[in-house]
Amino acid sequence: MLKITTTSVTAPPPHISPSPSTTTTQKNLLNYINRRHLLTALSISFTASHLSIPIADARGLFQMPPPRLTNQYYLVRAGESEFESLGIINTNPVAKTSVDSGLSEKGKKQIVKAALQLKEMGACDTGCWIWPSITQRAYQTAEIIAAVNKISRSYIVPEYSFLDARGLGAYEGKNLEAVSEVYASDTISPRNKPPPIDDGTPNESVADVFVRVTQLMSILETQYSEETIIIVSPDSDNLTILQAGLVGLDLRR
């Protein structure tokens, strides 16, 4: 049985709700994100979660859900991007380092607030590593977190593929509200994919993303031991699917 503690940095917005405790005596509840809401939901009320699981006695092949984690993790969704401020879906990896994929003015304010709250939580009191996607808004988020928490930029480790925003295929360029159609399909099967498109945007299922985030965790759990790691994702899907995998939730949720 996993022993998990989760702490919300801000008051939980309406789209975050608690699931039952993992044991009858455990009072700390795991907050999971209702993925059927818009991608912008986590930008409107930014939250970061602290996941703490007892350290493993030995290492082996990483599997979901893991019996133990060797490190302590904070999962952070990047602030609002310029594209999101315009209400546009943008998941093509070709554009991930463009200026338009960077933080909007609102997004920058969200991350400054979140970085200060992480500081209040003592996330980096004894040092931490920050692993952001190379996507512009995620890397900018990592830089702000590092500056506020007085962490050297040498502790920012850009991730080039495993943390890419989920590719939404033919939904690329559409209004953000259209993503609710993708999430409705996700509840039927984690293997359902968005319709494809020929502009280079991947059309990823929940299962595809699950493979990516599992590979990321395998790297982190192998490379580090008893460290604090802040994972910064450009979207919410990576984090909700990762959380579901860590605690063994049905991926359709």
Side-chain angles (χ1 to χ4, degrees):
M1 181 67 70
L2 293 176
K3 296 181 180 179
I4 303 171
T5 358
T6 301
T7 305
S8 261
V9 173
T10 60
H15 61 283
I16 295 183
S17 57
S19 66
S21 59
T22 55
T23 69
T24 55
T25 59
Q26 187 176 348
K27 295 181 180 179
N28 293 305
L29 300 179
L30 172 67
N31 287 329
Y32 73 91
I33 301 168
N34 184 340
R35 296 178 51 256
R36 301 176 78 173
H37 285 71
L38 303 183
L39 285 175
T40 51
L42 284 180
S43 291
I44 294 170
S45 183
F46 184 86
T47 62
S49 293
H50 168 207
L51 178 64
S52 177
I53 297 178
I55 295 169
D57 295 324
R59 300 189 189 190
L61 180 65
F62 187 83
Q63 298 179 356
M64 292 281 205
R68 299 285 189 275
L69 289 176
T70 64
N71 302 296
Q72 180 170 270
Y73 295 90
Y74 289 81
L75 309 181
V76 179
R77 199 268 199 210
E80 180 188 76
S81 70
E82 293 288 357
F83 276 113
E84 287 171 332
S85 71
L86 299 174
I88 298 173
I89 293 174
N90 175 250
T91 61
N92 192 325
V94 173
K96 63 185 178 182
T97 58
S98 71
V99 174
D100 289 335
S101 290
L103 293 172
S104 66
E105 288 305 311
K106 179 180 179 180
K108 292 174 184 176
K109 293 176 182 178
Q110 291 168 340
I111 298 308
V112 168
K113 180 180 178 181
L116 287 169
Q117 291 170 327
L118 285 169
K119 186 175 182 178
E120 291 175 4
M121 293 170 68
C124 296
D125 281 357
T126 58
C128 64
W129 293 87
I130 307 175
W131 273 62
S133 163
I134 196 62
T135 303
Q136 188 82 336
R137 62 185 176 275
Y139 196 83
Q140 289 176 342
T141 294
E143 290 182 315
I144 293 172
I145 292 172
V148 170
N149 287 274
K150 301 187 185 304
I151 298 298
S152 168
R153 289 171 61 95
S154 63
Y155 284 85
I156 299 177
V157 184
E159 210 301 305
Y160 288 86
S161 59
F162 294 144
L163 278 175
D164 282 357
R166 179 185 178 185
L168 296 182
Y171 286 90
E172 185 74 2
K174 291 187 177 182
N175 190 285
L176 275 171
E177 293 181 359
V179 81
S180 61
E181 298 173 16
V182 178
Y183 290 165
S185 177
D186 290 344
T187 63
I188 298 172
S189 171
R191 298 191 179 279
N192 284 348
K193 294 175 179 282
I197 193 172
D198 59 4
D199 70 349
T201 303
N203 59 319
E204 294 184 295
S205 66
V206 168
D208 293 331
V209 177
F210 179 76
V211 170
R212 287 202 278 111
V213 296
T214 300
Q215 290 172 322
L216 173 68
M217 290 302 297
S218 180
I219 292 171
L220 296 176
E221 286 291 286
T222 301
Q223 187 167 332
Y224 302 102
S225 180
E226 299 187 45
E227 299 279 3
T228 295
I229 301 169
I230 299 175
I231 297 174
V232 184
S233 170
D235 70 352
S236 60
D237 286 37
N238 286 333
L239 302 184
T240 56
I241 294 169
L242 172 56
Q243 285 182 306
L246 289 173
V247 299
L249 289 178
D250 186 330
L251 292 180
R252 290 173 297 180
R253 294 178 63 182

